Structures are given as C-alpha cells and as structure tokens.
Amino acid sequence: VQLQASGGGLVQAGGSLRLSCAASGRTYGAMGWFRQAPGKEREFVAAITYLRITTAYADAAKGRFTISRDNAKNTVYLQMNSLKPEDTAVYYCAARVLVEIGEVPSDYYYWGRGTLVTVSS
C-alpha cells in the first residue's frame, strides 16, 4: 500500500498548481488532501468518494481548489488556483477503504509522504 504525492513547488500568489497522488496496493474508497503549515495542525483541504459523486472542501479551498480522481489510474488530483501565501504548507494525500468522505485526519488510514507547496507574495 503506497500513496505517492507530487506536483508541489514554488509559485507566486495568484498562480496555480496541480497536485497528483498515485495510489497502489489496493482500491480505495474515499481519498482526500490535507495540509500542514509550520507550527500548525494538519487540516482538511478536500476529499472525494470513489464514484466521484460526492466531494467536500474546506472553506479555505472552496471556489479555488478542485479535487478529482481517475480510478483507472488510481490517482487523485488537486487543482489549486488563485493561490495565496496562506496556502503554503506540506500537502498530504490520504485514503481510506470506507466510501464515505472523512474530514479529519483520524478518518484516514493510508497517507502519502507529502509535497511542499510554497506561495510567495
């Protein structure tokens, strides 16, 4: 079981990034993205169910971020637009067997190693 996140980097405020998380080892139910800024707790960003019927977003992500998944590739994506300096964090992908979306870290059993997103002002 492995989740491999990629796509982070340095971007100016107002720019965009697309994160990817390739999963292997099994088929997952809900998958999500969390982030953790220095000195802060890990927080929910977005999540999506296996059938892509339901998505959920943190208030900070609504209207700017879009989560999607390609089940054939076992990959989940996070398109981030209009990035702000406060979006700077390590972004982690997470997965669970259950199909329902979870919005707290303890809802997820499988975690990737994270990818750093830095937004300059």
Side-chain angles (χ1 to χ4, degrees), residues 18 33 48 52 57 66-70 75-78:
R18 188 193 194 206
W33 289 94
I48 186 168
R52 304 182 292 272
Y57 296 91
T66 302
I67 189 169
S68 60
R69 67 189 288 176
D70 183 337
T75 299
V76 63
Y77 305 95
L78 185 69

Side-chain angles (χ1 to χ4, degrees), residues 31-103:
M31 297 185 73
W33 289 94
F34 288 76
R35 68 186 183 185
Q36 188 166 17
K40 295 187 176 182
E41 294 186 351
R42 192 168 298 188
E43 64 178 8
F44 172 73
V45 177
I48 186 168
T49 54
Y50 177 78
L51 294 178
R52 304 182 292 272
I53 294 174
T54 303
T55 57
Y57 296 91
D59 287 344
K62 289 178 181 177
R64 300 189 299 126
F65 295 1
T66 302
I67 189 169
S68 60
R69 67 189 288 176
D70 183 337
N71 291 331
K73 297 180 179 179
N74 219 7
T75 299
V76 63
Y77 305 95
L78 185 69
Q79 177 67 44
M80 304 187 295
N81 299 328
S82 302
L83 283 162
K84 305 174 182 180
E86 50 264 43
D87 294 318
T88 295
V90 176
Y91 283 70
Y92 297 89
C93 64
R96 60 190 294 192
V97 174
L98 297 176
V99 298
E100 298 85 5
I101 283 176
E103 297 189 16

